[in-house]
Amino acid sequence: MCAARIEPRTLKGFRDYLPETMIVREQLIDTARRVFRSYGYAPIDTPAMEYLDILSGKGGEETDKQLYRFQDHGGRWVGLRFDLTVPLARFAAQHIGQLGTPLKRYHIATVWRGENTQRGRYREFMQCDFDIIGTRNIAADIEIALVIHDLLAALGLSEFTIRLNNRQVLNGFLELLGLADRSAAVLRALDKLAKVGRQQVVAEMTQTAGASPQQAEQILSLGEISGDNHQVLAQAAALLRENRQGLAGIEQLQQMILALSAAGVPQQRVRVDLSIARGLDYYTGTVYETYLDELPGIGSVCSGGRYDNLAELFTDLQLPGVGASLGLDRLLAAMEELGKVQKVSATAPVFIAFFDSQRLPDYLRLAATLRAAGIGAEVYPEPKKLGQQLKYADRRGFRVALIIGEDEFRSNRCLIKDLQQAVQHDVSLDPEAQQVIATVSQILSSGRT
RNA sequence: GUGGCUGUAGCUCAAGUGGUUAGAGCACCAGACUGUGGAUCUGGGUGUUGGGGGUUCGAGUCCCCUCAGCCACCCCA
């Protein structure tokens, strides 16, 4: 009587998250939230699915290809959100009157992209976006960089580099070269400089982007400028001659560099890189990319930029903005590879053995008392042998185990076992469990892992 | 989306040119141990060899399709 089984499986690029992974993920999310809120950002959420015309045509041709699209049951063309920025544009156009500007929001949610998978590249993944809407002031651009910095630092990463550029520098230079109309293709080629080298960039610029060999060389002479940040900017300024747009971009980068350093961001973590452009079409000013120094191959873990007219397709209101997006799943993959995630599968620190089968109510009451005192506690769900229960507690990474059997109940005592130090305390057990709470708290605060 | 590599137990890997009943370590489960975890000992294989089809007397092994993972391109978090 064996019915045909359906093979359990998941779609390409879509994954299950086991507790071990999920605990770490939630920790990352908690940390991100804390940093966002510390700068005054407020959370929002938007639907996973939107009308297709809201989503399509906003990020360029390639993003349209990767957009999940289909007809819903009512025959409407809809799509799953590709990022959180386009939904933000729609959101802002719709609600900015109510919310007022500047609007500082964060948005932690899943997005979907139908592209080929690879390590750190999934079809369903989570982004943590933070943006400031409603101001053109460079202070906002600076703050975004500060948030990126604090975010990664708070996640325990110290070896990273925030790479900065400004689309105005690039656009100004292309204007100077008479290539303004081909900027998208040219910049896409330039963006690959670090990865494929100058020869291939020149090839792509001349063959597919429509630039002359001389123009390609000139663009590279800008993108290849090296040295410390101030030297890079000075040389770029020279190349830009009198171009107003380009010089405005340089000026903005200059201000950012100075402000970031004044705000305490270590010099080596910020690098002006005039070759980064970013593929998304909607950027107009500052662009950010953040690489882990130990794992550059995994790509940028936090990127973004300024977009001064993103909402123009939805409203006549001028809604300039700047923001960035932390790729939570990519970062997690990277941290795993770097061995920076500690594996824990217990979420509560205290384990209460279900020892005396007649005393379940007492165990439950003790657990409730501990929780009321802010200490997470788990009662084992069956009165198994003590050795097995302790083995479970040990494997799951509990910090302390409480053992109370018949003898202890009779004498109102409780054995508190420190599972890491392998020491056992014998304390009195009163209805408020004061001794127990005190001892457990002491153990918990002593040996933070 | 294009091209390539890979796919055996929860994990890491075995199984000469196709040949009986697919093995090992670790992990896991049970017991030794109805009151004390990491140790030891004993017992247990937990698998439709990713899935489907084909060739063959016989397929983990060869062929085709498919699914998934990885790598490069593309793009990007």
Side-chain angles (χ1 to χ4, degrees):
Chain A
M1 304 300 116
C2 207
R5 288 270 160 69
I6 297 165
E7 197 199 343
R9 64 216 160 107
T10 52
L11 285 165
K12 183 187 181 73
F14 289 69
R15 302 162 302 151
D16 286 325
Y17 304 97
L18 274 55
E20 195 176 87
T21 311
M22 227 22 222
I23 288 169
V24 179
R25 259 178 133 231
E26 288 193 345
Q27 279 171 359
L28 289 199
I29 293 170
D30 286 345
T31 304
R33 265 195 202 114
R34 206 173 56 241
V35 173
F36 296 151
R37 298 176 85 120
S38 77
Y39 277 83
Y41 292 76
I44 69 159
D45 201 5
T46 65
M49 209 186 285
E50 300 255 12
Y51 281 105
L52 192 59
D53 60 356
I54 299 281
L55 299 173
S56 63
K58 308 298 185 297
E61 213 177 295
E62 193 62 33
T63 61
D64 273 10
K65 270 194 245 163
Q66 297 180 6
L67 198 59
Y68 273 99
R69 66 182 75 209
F70 39 85
Q71 280 184 286
D72 72 3
H73 293 178
R76 285 170 284 256
W77 277 101
V78 298
L80 290 172
R81 61 183 170 214
F82 170 92
D83 65 12
L84 300 176
T85 305
V86 171
L88 171 64
R90 194 222 83 227
F91 176 96
Q94 226 171 312
H95 304 293
I96 202 73
Q98 226 184 94
L99 299 168
T101 58
L103 169 66
K104 293 171 66 167
R105 81 89 175 83
Y106 69 87
H107 192 181
I108 300 175
T110 306
V111 303
W112 294 267
R113 296 184 188 179
E115 64 167 343
N116 243 342
T117 56
Q118 241 167 81
R119 171 151 290 275
R121 298 177 64 158
Y122 313 102
R123 290 186 169 177
E124 178 182 65
F125 60 97
M126 191 166 266
Q127 291 196 320
C128 307
D129 271 40
F130 46 102
D131 293 79
I132 307 175
I133 306 296
T135 175
R136 289 202 157 77
N137 198 285
I138 193 72
D141 303 58
I142 294 164
E143 182 175 290
I144 292 297
L146 287 173
V147 176
I148 294 175
H149 176 264
D150 287 8
L151 194 50
L152 291 183
L155 292 171
L157 298 160
S158 50
E159 313 284 295
F160 62 88
T161 307
I162 302 172
R163 297 209 267 158
L164 295 176
N165 194 4
N166 192 301
R167 275 284 178 94
Q168 291 190 62
V169 173
L170 298 170
N171 289 334
F173 195 63
L174 295 181
E175 200 174 272
L176 206 62
L177 299 178
L179 279 169
D181 53 329
R182 301 182 192 281
S183 65
V186 171
L187 294 183
R188 206 174 303 133
L190 177 65
D191 202 47
K192 293 172 198 160
L193 181 58
K195 201 166 180 183
V196 302
R198 75 177 342 256
Q199 272 197 335
Q200 288 207 49
V201 171
V202 171
E204 182 171 337
M205 280 186 182
T206 52
Q207 283 157 30
T208 64
S212 72
Q214 293 82 354
Q215 288 171 323
E217 283 300 330
Q218 285 179 290
I219 296 164
L220 278 170
S221 67
L222 180 79
E224 287 180 328
I225 296 174
S226 61
D228 73 33
N229 291 331
H230 294 289
Q231 291 169 343
V232 170
L233 291 174
Q235 289 180 52
L239 283 177
L240 282 159
R241 284 177 271 172
E242 300 295 305
N243 183 277
R244 276 177 57 196
Q245 193 187 180
L247 292 176
I250 295 288
E251 168 64 19
Q252 290 186 5
L253 284 169
Q254 192 83 52
Q255 286 187 51
M256 289 184 70
I257 297 303
L258 291 172
L260 289 173
S261 149
V265 175
Q267 293 264 314
Q268 74 276 9
R269 287 187 182 162
V270 178
R271 177 110 263 125
V272 171
D273 181 341
L274 299 176
S275 73
I276 68 165
R278 306 205 37 72
L280 270 48
D281 289 352
Y282 49 65
Y283 293 119
T284 55
T286 310
V287 291
Y288 312 84
E289 285 196 344
T290 313
Y291 287 85
L292 301 180
D293 299 345
E294 299 159 273
L295 208 56
I298 203 148
S300 174
V301 295
C302 190
S303 319
R306 173 165 281 282
Y307 41 87
D308 275 345
N309 35 32
L310 184 68
E312 68 186 346
L313 290 164
F314 303 115
T315 176
D316 286 338
L317 287 171
Q318 289 285 304
L319 289 175
V322 58
S325 179
L326 176 77
L328 187 110
D329 291 287
R330 175 174 288 185
L331 182 64
L332 203 63
M335 288 173 75
E336 245 162 44
E337 207 165 316
L338 294 173
K340 297 215 174 191
V341 296
Q342 54 161 329
K343 309 204 160 166
V344 188
S345 52
T347 50
V350 176
F351 176 82
I352 301 177
F354 186 174
F355 194 0
D356 184 335
S357 59
Q358 305 304 305
R359 296 293 197 144
L360 180 59
D362 296 287
Y363 295 128
L364 295 176
R365 197 179 58 237
L366 176 59
T369 307
L370 285 168
R371 289 185 202 116
I375 300 168
E378 169 176 332
V379 178
Y380 196 76
E382 52 179 322
K384 252 191 174 177
K385 280 193 286 195
L386 187 59
Q388 287 172 14
Q389 294 192 43
L390 287 173
K391 195 169 180 180
Y392 165 87
D394 177 49
R395 300 250 158 108
R396 294 295 165 103
F398 282 91
R399 189 60 222 281
V400 279
L402 303 189
I403 300 168
I404 316 161
E406 217 183 320
D407 302 346
E408 285 75 22
F409 276 119
R410 248 200 307 274
S411 54
N412 286 318
R413 303 208 66 77
C414 172
L415 300 179
I416 298 175
K417 199 174 176 68
D418 182 332
L419 291 168
Q420 270 171 30
Q421 307 298 320
V423 256
Q424 193 161 296
H425 310 261
D426 185 345
V427 305
S428 77
L429 179 61
D430 56 276
E432 274 82 48
Q434 284 174 6
Q435 283 285 316
V436 177
I437 289 169
T439 309
V440 167
S441 304
Q442 201 187 346
I443 294 172
L444 294 184
S445 61
S446 70
R448 271 292 113 115
T449 44

